[in-house]
Amino acid sequence: MSQQRKSWSRRRKLVVGLIGIVVIIALAVGLGVGLTRQGSDDDENTSSPTPTPIPPTTNNTDQAGIWHPSPGGTWNYEINGALSDSSKQQVFDVWDIDLFDNDEDVISSLQGQGAKVICYFSAGSYEEWRSDASDFSQSDLGNELDGWPGERWLNVSSQAVRDIMLTRIDLAAQKSCNGVEPDNVDGYNNDNGLDLTQQDAASYIRFLSDAAHQRNLSIGLKNAAEIVSTVVNIVDYCVNEECVKYNECSTFAPFIQQGKAVFHVEYPKGSDTNNALAVSSSARAEVCDASGTAQFSTILKNMELDSWIETC
Ligand SMILES: *[C@@H]1O[C@H](CO)[C@@H](O)[C@H](O)[C@H]1NC(C)=O
Ligand SMILES: *[C@@H]1O[C@H](CO)[C@@H](O)[C@H](O)[C@H]1NC(C)=O
Ligand SMILES: *[C@@H]1O[C@H](CO)[C@@H](O)[C@H](O)[C@H]1NC(C)=O
Ligand SMILES: *[C@@H]1O[C@H](CO)[C@@H](O)[C@H](O)[C@H]1NC(C)=O
């Protein structure tokens, strides 16, 4: 414990030192730019100014210790069971991994490499294979998720469902995750059998967000494009699948405008798990150069979200 505290304070000093250096460099650059500008007043350029990129600081934490990732960091998304050994060796700013299938030592070893860890769980669906599956009552279960056998939509307004999710968020805190990714909050877009609405989803996000923040965990919005403007202020980042494919990336721009990371994944190979097969350069460019994705953290994965990855 005391060992940990020591290394924390050392890191903080390092950060403060680095911030100092960055400030000095920024001032110097600013001065340089100012001087250059003064010297070239004549060639006034009326084209719109390029927005200043927000430097990636994926390890930002606030006074309460809650992590607030800025846009632009690297990430990997592997929720197909426990993190593979080969993945454990790779370095990313952010890892998004399964809450149930990974032990605390996996999480702490990634954090030891300087990464932040988002713990994934399904908040809007019942998954029959989870260790807490028997805690759900039948009356809270809706239709099966199309294409996901063993999963059924949940009544997200039910207190019994919410209590189970509190226990899951407690587990994330116990395992020292930095944040959580509650998946499947967009049941309203699907044939859910429970008459779920966007209002239900927004109220659920508010509930989950309060619960996460009370435990000093950050929280992201998963997909759910329709409720971005309602919840962008109360979540800390978003995790998006396939906004290029569905031509809705600009819908998530409010996150970037608020200095919040957009962790974005596309599946250019679909379910092709032939991991030796690289994505063609045109398919890759289609994702990596897609409009509306400026400052997103974009990766290319298999739909299975196994260890295969290409970065932009
Ligand atoms: C103005 O700036 C843009 C972008 O930097 C550049 O493409 C363009 O040529 C410039 N125009 C003039 C008149 O300098
Ligand atoms: C945050 O990131 C910076 C830059 O990558 C790094 O130098 C610093 O040690 C990190 N701080 C913490 C607390 O991890
Ligand atoms: C959250 O962090 C604050 C500040 O470090 C601390 O006082 C508080 O006890 C933490 N809360 C929990 C639930 O860990
Ligand atoms: C979902 O739960 C709420 C709160 O308990 C309840 O009012 C509503 O009737 C439930 N919906 C269905 C379809 O059972």
Side-chain angles (χ1 to χ4, degrees):
M1 200 53 187
S2 62
Q3 276 291 355
Q4 247 175 356
R5 274 179 197 279
K6 246 185 235 161
S7 73
W8 261 105
S9 60
R10 220 177 278 150
R11 276 189 182 194
R12 278 178 101 148
K13 269 191 202 142
L14 183 62
V15 172
V16 170
L18 282 174
I19 289 171
I21 292 168
V22 168
V23 166
I24 289 166
I25 292 171
L27 285 173
V29 169
L31 190 63
V33 168
L35 288 174
T36 315
R37 282 264 165 81
Q38 269 180 348
S40 59
D41 255 357
D42 293 350
D43 35 274
E44 195 71 53
N45 193 327
T46 49
S47 72
S48 61
T50 45
T52 319
I54 301 162
T57 49
T58 46
N59 60 14
N60 259 352
T61 50
D62 67 15
Q63 281 175 331
I66 302 176
W67 170 57
H68 298 282
S70 300
T74 63
W75 78 302
N76 197 351
Y77 195 21
E78 187 171 333
I79 56 171
N80 185 4
L83 194 62
S84 63
D85 285 336
S86 61
S87 293
K88 285 176 191 162
Q89 314 306 319
Q90 298 174 40
V91 176
F92 293 92
D93 294 327
V94 178
W95 276 98
D96 192 340
I97 62 175
D98 189 84
L99 167 65
F100 285 97
D101 293 342
N102 291 285
D103 295 332
E104 188 178 351
D105 53 344
V106 172
I107 292 159
S108 59
S109 105
L110 296 173
Q111 289 165 337
Q113 297 169 13
K116 297 291 180 192
V117 179
I118 298 172
C119 293
Y120 167 97
F121 64 92
S122 182
S125 76
Y126 162 85
E127 299 164 306
E128 64 181 15
W129 63 91
R130 295 298 185 185
S131 51
D132 59 359
S134 63
D135 296 346
F136 292 91
S137 51
Q138 281 296 318
S139 58
D140 286 332
L141 309 186
N143 293 343
E144 285 216 359
L145 272 69
D146 192 20
W148 300 94
E151 276 193 70
R152 292 172 64 180
W153 294 105
L154 286 171
N155 182 350
V156 300
S157 304
S158 153
Q159 191 56 49
V161 166
R162 292 182 173 203
D163 287 344
I164 293 167
M165 297 309 155
L166 288 182
T167 306
R168 291 181 172 186
I169 296 172
D170 280 336
L171 180 63
Q174 270 163 37
K175 291 190 174 184
S176 300
C177 308
N178 298 102
V180 289
E181 184 210 329
D183 193 15
N184 294 314
V185 292
D186 56 356
Y188 59 81
N189 260 341
N190 296 269
D191 180 19
N192 59 74
L194 297 158
D195 297 325
L196 297 173
T197 65
Q198 289 180 26
Q199 286 74 18
D200 294 335
S203 147
Y204 194 40
I205 293 291
R206 214 165 282 123
F207 165 80
L208 295 167
S209 172
D210 287 346
H213 290 153
Q214 278 160 17
R215 290 158 181 77
N216 291 344
L217 294 169
S218 63
I219 183 167
L221 176 70
K222 174 68 168 295
N223 298 331
E226 297 79 7
I227 59 169
V228 166
S229 60
T230 315
V231 303
V232 63
N233 291 326
I234 58 171
V235 298
D236 308 298
Y237 45 89
C238 87
V239 177
N240 173 266
E241 293 174 287
E242 302 190 284
C243 72
V244 172
K245 180 176 176 185
Y246 294 111
N247 196 21
E248 61 180 13
C249 291
S250 58
T251 311
F252 298 92
F255 282 93
I256 300 295
Q257 283 152 14
Q258 290 201 9
K260 297 175 178 180
V262 175
F263 300 112
H264 167 220
V265 59
E266 295 285 329
Y267 308 120
K269 300 198 298 177
S271 292
D272 178 1
T273 49
N274 178 359
N275 291 348
L277 197 65
V279 171
S280 72
S281 58
S282 62
R284 183 192 175 77
E286 208 172 293
V287 169
C288 296
D289 305 338
S291 72
T293 62
Q295 298 183 50
F296 284 18
S297 300
T298 297
I299 55 174
L300 293 73
K301 301 279 295 185
N302 293 321
M303 209 172 269
E304 280 68 19
L305 291 168
D306 57 16
S307 61
W308 185 86
I309 182 171
E310 282 194 20
T311 56
C312 279

